[in-house]
Amino acid sequence: MDILAEKKKAIFESTLELIKENGFHGTPMSMVAKKACVACGTIYHYFDSKDTLIAELYAYVKKQMADAMFEGDDEQKEFKDRFYHLILSHCRFYIKHPNTLYFIEQYINSPYNNREPVKDNEQFQHRMWDFLKQGIDTGVLKPMNIHLLGILIHSHVVTTAKLYFSQRVKINEEDFPNIVQVIWDGVKNHSD
Amino acid sequence: MDILAEKKKAIFESTLELIKENGFHGTPMSMVAKKACVACGTIYHYFDSKDTLIAELYAYVKKQMADAMFEGDDEQKEFKDRFYHLILSHCRFYIKHPNTLYFIEQYINSPYNNREPVKDNEQFQHRMWDFLKQGIDTGVLKPMNIHLLGILIHSHVVTTAKLYFSQRVKINEEDFPNIVQVIWDGVKNHSD
Amino acid sequence: MDILAEKKKAIFESTLELIKENGFHGTPMSMVAKKACVACGTIYHYFDSKDTLIAELYAYVKKQMADAMFEGDDEQKEFKDRFYHLILSHCRFYIKHPNTLYFIEQYINSPYNNREPVKDNEQFQHRMWDFLKQGIDTGVLKPMNIHLLGILIHSHVVTTAKLYFSQRVKINEEDFPNIVQVIWDGVKNHSD
Amino acid sequence: MDILAEKKKAIFESTLELIKENGFHGTPMSMVAKKACVACGTIYHYFDSKDTLIAELYAYVKKQMADAMFEGDDEQKEFKDRFYHLILSHCRFYIKHPNTLYFIEQYINSPYNNREPVKDNEQFQHRMWDFLKQGIDTGVLKPMNIHLLGILIHSHVVTTAKLYFSQRVKINEEDFPNIVQVIWDGVKNHSD
DNA sequence: CATGAATGAGTCTTCATTCAT
DNA sequence: GATGAATGAAGACTCATTCAT
């Protein structure tokens, strides 16, 4: 799980970058091999097929994302602060890893998505759901289906990150809190 | 602009459905031809290439969407009512046209997007921007960049529509107003 | 044989020019049609197929060439003078009609050549052969097979004309007599 | 440079034969692959495209020709003898390799010629030019542009070889010296 | 384990030809 | 006669995958 892992990682990273650049079918295995400095056949020692490679890559980046997101989360803090922290961490992760951002977006919207349901690393999701549930239970968040809530929030984050890289609307990191406020105002419970 | 248009439309609709099903590269021209009941070569009378076909298809559905969204908009009504109407119309359009929904999402997140910049039908966007600007100017909406605002709202709509078709979170049309409320609460001006 | 002929001629000339430019298979019928300002199907009123068109075109230019070559030939003159005149006329014809030159060369060296043996306008050849035979009989030319002689001479002419248009060896019309002298010295009877 | 070269050679030879038979566009890559006993895609490991294959094939046969032509050339011998030897060697080469003869003729007269100017093996030409220059300098040949001279001579050779294979004029190897005499008499200096 | 040459099914695209108007 | 939209077989080329070394 060392030298092997290194080679696997090289394949992952190469794939990630190439797919961002050229899309799934603009990225032949031979190109991945070249960029990762391995032989074509070597890839097939680690992955059964291109589909598998991509599915595993999805799980790989998903885990990285989860790790980054909850880093620095302090359960002692107030809910709103934790919310802002989590959202901003998430945004910043995407901004630091645009390859991941674009790969995930392509993946989710492609037929790959429902093909080989590599068990999604649910841990990330569960932790998020727990957090949201707590917000609802304590009356801070609107009482809603937490899955729905989670997805709406995530979509907000992704949109923000994509905007950051877009040409048309120029935003920078200082604008993030304002943008987070939109989703916070959206989900928080106004009944008080 | 009749029989011709019909053939072109048949090609469009076939492509739309097939791409939703199989993605861009899971949809060979021969398959489009078959479904549209034309010969392979016929497609090339109407479109220079597969890329062109897809780019024009994007413009085609974009226009349909714009038309549907603003139908029934009544400028006399209160801003909030108009807002709800527009968002709900938009959601319902996607729900009536899932092929369009998935095609657009795939298109936007694919390298096609920045390839042949078929002049986006900006009219749709401009009308939306005018509407949002009015909301800001009258103090109903948060003072923000209208482009940013527009995209956040649209992303919310798309997420909602996708959720409608997803297996994991089961929502139906009755839930829509609650979901719209999230975005409304998010963008409205709370300073009052 | 008038309006029709005009259309036929337009097709001929268009084909000639396009083939010079792009070669046989770089010249689709649709392109010929466009250049000749007729519909695609119209060509098929005049010619059974592309092969036929090309074969007939070959006969067409061959005849033009024969006409040009013997124009101004004076049977009263000395043999050598007539020889020079014929050869130079031939060279000049090719120089005035480069499309014809390149078309013929392509045709002769292509599989079209032995496909549909449109009866070559032998008249041209016969007249040449008679001329050469007379030269041999009177002892002015080397005693050789006249077909062989004719082809060697023609090849000399074609090479000269092609050289005229080539970039590498720059010759002009003043050089022609010297070049003709080479072939004349080659075929004339030295026994005297 | 062994097994690889063999496969490349097989592709070359197959292409050569098929093109002679069917011409450039009568020879699909699939046919070449079949005859060379390789897969379609294999050809693309060795050549970027059909154009490249043909251009490289041209260089390949050109080199073979040059090698054959100067074999047995003896600089000690008299100029005229060397001239006859070279010309006859050249003729015999074409007669031994009709595929090459017809391929070259087709190539030169096709639009391929000026497409990818694979550096012509100039060595062959230079050696010929040196030889001709020597003939002019020593007063044996007519004082002419050596490029022009070279091309006229080559054209004579090609015409002879083509005649050998033609149906209409039946010549055989015994006739060659007489035919060579025509070009020799044409280019030699008569001033003496 | 690693290599990368070889495979060949499958893709986009072209174009000679037809035929309803 | 003239048109040009429609046809579909065929071609160049790609690329996921295999396997002998």
Side-chain angles (χ1 to χ4, degrees):
Chain A
M1 195 236 169
D2 263 331
I3 300 180
L4 288 193
E6 291 231 337
K7 212 154 258 187
K8 222 174 159 173
K9 202 186 160 195
I11 295 170
F12 273 153
E13 297 298 338
S14 303
T15 309
L16 206 52
E17 186 169 341
L18 289 169
I19 284 179
K20 185 229 158 151
E21 222 65 51
N22 316 309
F24 288 122
H25 46 299
T27 304
M29 293 298 258
S30 55
M31 204 185 275
V32 173
K34 201 176 195 175
K35 194 175 190 77
C37 294
V38 299
C40 223
T42 304
I43 301 180
Y44 286 86
H45 273 285
Y46 297 100
F47 307 96
D48 282 347
S49 68
K50 193 180 183 181
D51 281 22
T52 307
L53 163 58
I54 286 172
E56 289 195 24
L57 175 54
Y58 179 66
Y60 170 80
V61 296
K62 207 71 181 298
K63 175 158 174 29
Q64 286 190 325
M65 194 172 71
D67 291 347
M69 188 170 166
F70 282 102
E71 200 185 313
D73 178 33
D74 181 354
E75 303 201 359
Q76 306 306 323
K77 286 201 174 161
E78 215 181 322
F79 188 87
K80 184 179 171 181
D81 289 343
R82 290 182 67 197
F83 186 92
Y84 268 71
H85 175 75
L86 289 175
I87 301 303
L88 286 171
S89 298
H90 207 166
C91 283
R92 284 197 213 95
F93 174 82
Y94 279 138
I95 280 159
K96 253 199 240 164
H97 304 90
N99 292 349
T100 299
L101 170 63
Y102 290 110
F103 169 74
I104 290 184
E105 280 296 284
Q106 269 189 74
Y107 182 86
I108 285 178
N109 293 293
S110 80
Y112 280 102
N113 195 11
N114 300 326
R115 219 130 75 188
E116 300 201 24
V118 164
K119 244 167 290 296
D120 226 334
N121 190 348
E122 302 275 303
Q123 202 173 353
F124 159 65
Q125 318 264 30
H126 278 295
R127 215 165 145 187
M128 190 64 190
W129 288 331
D130 288 347
F131 173 72
L132 295 174
K133 188 170 184 311
Q134 184 185 329
I136 293 171
D137 290 347
T138 56
V140 185
L141 296 184
K142 286 194 173 88
M144 294 180 70
N145 177 314
I146 48 172
H147 296 67
L148 171 53
L149 209 50
I151 291 173
L152 288 176
I153 292 167
H154 184 242
S155 130
H156 198 83
V157 169
V158 167
T159 303
T160 305
K162 281 160 89 172
L163 236 30
Y164 179 88
F165 293 111
S166 86
Q167 314 296 344
R168 310 198 51 167
V169 184
K170 253 323 184 193
I171 64 177
N172 50 48
E173 290 208 36
E174 282 99 65
D175 300 322
F176 282 5
N178 283 329
I179 303 178
V180 177
Q181 201 195 331
V182 170
I183 188 65
W184 171 252
D185 285 343
V187 299
K188 81 167 181 201
N189 203 343
H190 293 198
S191 62
D192 50 329
Chain B
M1 196 234 169
D2 263 331
I3 299 181
L4 291 191
E6 292 221 343
K7 209 152 262 186
K8 220 173 159 172
K9 203 185 160 194
I11 295 170
F12 273 152
E13 297 297 339
S14 304
T15 309
L16 205 54
E17 186 169 341
L18 289 169
I19 282 180
K20 185 227 158 156
E21 221 66 51
N22 316 308
F24 288 122
H25 47 298
T27 305
M29 294 298 258
S30 56
M31 206 184 272
V32 173
K34 202 175 196 175
K35 191 173 192 79
C37 293
V38 299
C40 230
T42 303
I43 301 180
Y44 287 86
H45 270 282
Y46 297 99
F47 307 96
D48 282 345
S49 66
K50 192 178 183 182
D51 279 23
T52 307
L53 164 57
I54 287 172
E56 287 195 25
L57 176 53
Y58 179 65
Y60 171 80
V61 296
K62 206 71 182 297
K63 176 157 176 29
Q64 287 190 323
M65 191 172 75
D67 290 347
M69 185 169 168
F70 283 101
E71 202 186 312
D73 177 35
D74 181 354
E75 304 199 0
Q76 306 306 324
K77 288 202 175 158
E78 215 180 321
F79 188 87
K80 183 179 173 181
D81 289 343
R82 289 183 66 198
F83 186 92
Y84 269 72
H85 174 76
L86 288 176
I87 302 302
L88 286 171
S89 297
H90 206 167
C91 283
R92 282 196 217 97
F93 173 83
Y94 280 137
I95 280 158
K96 251 199 241 161
H97 304 91
N99 292 348
T100 298
L101 169 63
Y102 290 110
F103 169 75
I104 289 183
E105 281 295 285
Q106 267 189 74
Y107 182 87
I108 285 178
N109 293 292
S110 81
Y112 278 103
N113 195 10
N114 299 324
R115 218 132 75 188
E116 301 202 20
V118 164
K119 245 169 287 301
D120 227 332
N121 191 349
E122 302 277 300
Q123 205 173 351
F124 158 64
Q125 321 264 30
H126 278 295
R127 219 167 142 185
M128 190 63 189
W129 291 331
D130 288 347
F131 173 72
L132 295 175
K133 188 173 183 310
Q134 184 184 328
I136 292 170
D137 290 347
T138 56
V140 183
L141 295 184
K142 284 194 173 88
M144 295 179 70
N145 180 315
I146 47 171
H147 297 67
L148 172 53
L149 210 50
I151 291 174
L152 289 176
I153 293 167
H154 184 241
S155 132
H156 198 85
V157 168
V158 167
T159 304
T160 306
K162 281 160 88 172
L163 237 30
Y164 178 89
F165 292 111
S166 85
Q167 313 297 344
R168 313 199 49 169
V169 184
K170 251 329 189 188
I171 63 176
N172 51 47
E173 290 207 37
E174 284 99 61
D175 300 322
F176 282 2
N178 282 330
I179 303 177
V180 177
Q181 200 194 333
V182 171
I183 187 65
W184 169 252
D185 285 343
V187 298
K188 83 167 181 204
N189 202 342
H190 294 196
S191 62
D192 50 333
Chain C
M1 197 237 167
D2 264 329
I3 299 179
L4 290 192
E6 292 231 336
K7 212 154 258 186
K8 222 174 160 174
K9 202 186 160 193
I11 295 170
F12 274 153
E13 297 296 340
S14 303
T15 310
L16 205 53
E17 187 169 340
L18 289 170
I19 284 180
K20 185 226 158 156
E21 222 65 50
N22 316 310
F24 288 122
H25 47 298
T27 305
M29 294 297 258
S30 55
M31 204 186 273
V32 173
K34 201 175 195 177
K35 192 174 190 79
C37 295
V38 298
C40 222
T42 305
I43 299 180
Y44 286 85
H45 273 285
Y46 297 100
F47 307 97
D48 283 346
S49 68
K50 193 180 184 182
D51 281 20
T52 307
L53 163 57
I54 286 172
E56 288 194 26
L57 176 53
Y58 180 66
Y60 170 79
V61 296
K62 207 68 182 295
K63 174 156 174 32
Q64 287 189 323
M65 192 173 72
D67 291 347
M69 187 170 166
F70 282 101
E71 200 186 312
D73 177 34
D74 181 355
E75 303 200 0
Q76 305 306 324
K77 287 200 173 162
E78 213 179 323
F79 189 86
K80 184 180 173 182
D81 289 342
R82 290 181 66 196
F83 186 92
Y84 268 71
H85 175 76
L86 289 175
I87 301 302
L88 286 171
S89 298
H90 206 166
C91 283
R92 282 196 217 97
F93 173 83
Y94 279 137
I95 280 158
K96 253 200 241 162
H97 304 90
N99 292 348
T100 299
L101 169 64
Y102 291 109
F103 169 74
I104 289 183
E105 282 295 285
Q106 269 190 73
Y107 182 87
I108 285 178
N109 293 293
S110 80
Y112 279 103
N113 195 12
N114 301 325
R115 218 131 75 188
E116 300 201 23
V118 164
K119 245 168 289 301
D120 225 334
N121 190 348
E122 303 276 302
Q123 204 174 351
F124 158 63
Q125 320 265 30
H126 279 295
R127 216 166 143 186
M128 190 63 188
W129 290 330
D130 287 348
F131 173 72
L132 294 174
K133 188 170 184 307
Q134 186 185 327
I136 292 170
D137 290 347
T138 56
V140 183
L141 296 183
K142 283 193 174 91
M144 295 177 71
N145 178 314
I146 48 171
H147 297 68
L148 171 55
L149 209 50
I151 290 174
L152 288 176
I153 292 167
H154 184 241
S155 132
H156 198 84
V157 168
V158 167
T159 304
T160 305
K162 280 160 90 171
L163 236 30
Y164 178 88
F165 292 111
S166 86
Q167 313 296 345
R168 309 198 53 166
V169 184
K170 252 324 185 194
I171 64 176
N172 50 47
E173 290 209 34
E174 282 100 62
D175 300 321
F176 283 3
N178 283 329
I179 303 176
V180 176
Q181 199 194 334
V182 170
I183 188 63
W184 170 252
D185 285 342
V187 298
K188 83 167 181 202
N189 203 342
H190 293 197
S191 61
D192 49 331
Chain D
M1 195 234 167
D2 262 331
I3 299 180
L4 292 191
E6 291 222 343
K7 210 151 260 185
K8 221 174 160 175
K9 203 185 158 193
I11 295 170
F12 272 153
E13 297 298 338
S14 303
T15 309
L16 205 53
E17 186 169 342
L18 288 169
I19 283 180
K20 184 227 156 156
E21 221 66 50
N22 316 309
F24 289 121
H25 48 299
T27 305
M29 293 299 258
S30 56
M31 205 185 272
V32 173
K34 202 175 196 177
K35 191 174 192 78
C37 293
V38 297
C40 230
T42 303
I43 300 180
Y44 288 87
H45 270 282
Y46 296 99
F47 307 96
D48 281 346
S49 67
K50 192 178 183 181
D51 280 22
T52 306
L53 163 58
I54 286 172
E56 287 194 26
L57 176 53
Y58 180 65
Y60 171 80
V61 296
K62 206 70 182 296
K63 174 156 176 30
Q64 288 190 323
M65 192 172 73
D67 290 346
M69 187 170 165
F70 282 101
E71 202 186 312
D73 178 34
D74 181 356
E75 304 201 0
Q76 305 306 325
K77 286 200 174 163
E78 214 181 322
F79 188 87
K80 183 178 174 183
D81 289 343
R82 289 182 67 198
F83 186 92
Y84 269 72
H85 175 75
L86 289 175
I87 302 302
L88 286 171
S89 297
H90 207 167
C91 283
R92 284 197 214 98
F93 174 83
Y94 278 137
I95 281 158
K96 253 199 241 164
H97 304 91
N99 292 348
T100 299
L101 169 64
Y102 289 110
F103 169 73
I104 289 183
E105 281 295 284
Q106 267 189 75
Y107 182 87
I108 285 177
N109 293 293
S110 80
Y112 279 102
N113 196 11
N114 300 326
R115 219 131 72 186
E116 301 202 22
V118 164
K119 244 168 289 298
D120 228 332
N121 190 348
E122 302 276 300
Q123 206 174 349
F124 158 64
Q125 320 264 30
H126 278 295
R127 216 165 145 186
M128 190 62 187
W129 289 331
D130 288 345
F131 173 72
L132 295 174
K133 188 171 183 310
Q134 184 184 329
I136 292 170
D137 289 347
T138 56
V140 184
L141 295 184
K142 285 195 173 89
M144 296 178 72
N145 178 314
I146 49 172
H147 297 69
L148 171 55
L149 209 51
I151 292 174
L152 289 176
I153 292 167
H154 184 241
S155 133
H156 198 85
V157 168
V158 167
T159 305
T160 305
K162 280 159 89 172
L163 238 29
Y164 178 89
F165 293 110
S166 85
Q167 315 296 346
R168 311 198 51 169
V169 183
K170 252 327 187 188
I171 64 176
N172 49 49
E173 289 207 37
E174 284 99 61
D175 300 322
F176 282 4
N178 283 330
I179 303 176
V180 176
Q181 200 195 333
V182 170
I183 187 64
W184 171 253
D185 285 342
V187 298
K188 82 168 181 200
N189 203 344
H190 293 197
S191 62
D192 51 328

